Amino acid sequence: MNQDSQFSGSADRDDTSPILIIPYMWIGDFVRNHTVVRVLKQRWPNRPVDLLTTSLCAPLVDYMPGVRAGIVWDLPRGRLAVGRQLALAKLLRERNYGTALVLPRTWKAAIAPALAGIPERVGFVGEFRFGLLNRWRWGEKKLPRFIDKNAALAQPDGAALPREWPVPQLHVPAEEIVRWRQANGLSLRAAVALAPGSVGVSKRWTYYPEVARLLAERGLEVWVVGGPAEKGLAQEIVAAGGPGVRDLTGNDLRNGVLAMAAAGVAISNDSGLMHIAAALGTPTMGIFGPTSPYLWAPLNGLAATVVQDKEVLSCQPCQSTICKMNDHRCMRNIAASEVAAIAQRVLGEATAHATT
């Protein structure tokens, strides 16, 4: 009998027990987890779905359709933290989950669901997790993309991958955007949001200060969006761009979500904010150098995928977080004037579409 016979039989029709997703906690990956939520809701419309989340990613849960709740629980990365794991297991036990999907392949990610006694604990084989999971999946390495690996766990074991997965969605109420604009003293004009940060310096495009200046000179309002790590870069961009450029970086990811929701177009490196903007439906330009758009671009699609075409670089894409050859030409070959022109075109198309 298939080990998922319970998981894919009558329970598909009748089970109403809640489901817990243990996701990857990087911002972009967390947004992409919403595809997993949507697959589960298609399969089990009557089962509530919760997400384990860090305090950093928690604001995203408020804007994800189909998610009942976020379980905010910060576990340290570098140690086991037995006490925290036991406390989390107690909380999960109290919520009576019937199924847990453990997306990361790590041993540590599977501990609390096992201690909580969740009846079905689904995940790929990895890191000696025998005994912690009881619905094993095989063949992860044969799946081409990150989203294929994760969303496959929401399907019955052995099910063929669909031609297209449901795309992530983030919905922000219009009145919340209006209040956010008012609180930040922003006009109602269409603005360009710049997201200059990323995990890994090689993914950071070089010319954000210059493109901010070009866009501001053309009469566009420009916002710099990011976290505390981008504060210094934001100040550099504001200094280059002049009074038409605003620094909107801050500690709360909710601020970044609202900025991307309010923007007329977003320009971003391959980063979490790129996935947020695309999931919100904001026309998004993704700038790619060392990473592959096929593997890492949002499922939602981009208004423009910007990749250098000046020369053939044998190292591109390298997937490395630090450039080790060719002087970062995969990013430096993308001119600010090119990006500014594309942004104006995308903004014009979006404005025209909104008025028709």
Side-chain angles (χ1 to χ4, degrees), residues 30 49-53 58 61-62 67-73 95:
F30 197 91
V49 177
D50 293 350
L51 285 168
L52 188 69
T53 177
V61 176
D62 293 340
V67 177
R68 180 181 68 172
I71 310 301
V72 183
W73 204 266
R95 298 179 76 94

Side-chain angles (χ1 to χ4, degrees), residues 27-29 31-32 60 168 170 193-199 203 208 225-226 253 256-257 259-261 265-289 291-307 331:
I27 292 171
D29 296 342
V31 173
R32 291 197 281 185
L60 292 167
L170 296 174
L194 307 181
S198 70
V199 176
K203 294 193 292 183
Y208 278 101
V225 184
L253 182 60
V257 174
M260 288 305 188
V265 62
I267 303 174
S268 178
N269 301 325
D270 177 6
S271 70
L273 283 171
M274 176 186 66
H275 287 274
I276 288 173
L280 286 163
T282 298
T284 305
M285 296 169 53
I287 302 179
F288 289 84
T291 53
S292 163
Y294 169 72
L295 294 175
W296 300 109
L299 284 183
N300 310 72
L302 293 169
T305 302
V306 185
V307 181
M331 285 300 216

Side-chain angles (χ1 to χ4, degrees), residues 217-237:
E217 285 176 352
R218 298 172 192 185
L220 295 171
E221 194 169 311
V222 180
W223 305 336
V224 186
V225 184
E230 283 73 60
K231 177 62 68 175
L233 182 53
Q235 292 172 347
E236 179 185 343
I237 294 169

Side-chain angles (χ1 to χ4, degrees), residues 40-63:
L40 288 171
K41 295 302 289 185
Q42 288 174 355
R43 184 177 176 188
W44 285 302
N46 297 321
R47 297 185 70 181
V49 177
D50 293 350
L51 285 168
L52 188 69
T53 177
T54 60
S55 54
L56 171 64
C57 292
L60 292 167
V61 176
D62 293 340
Y63 305 113

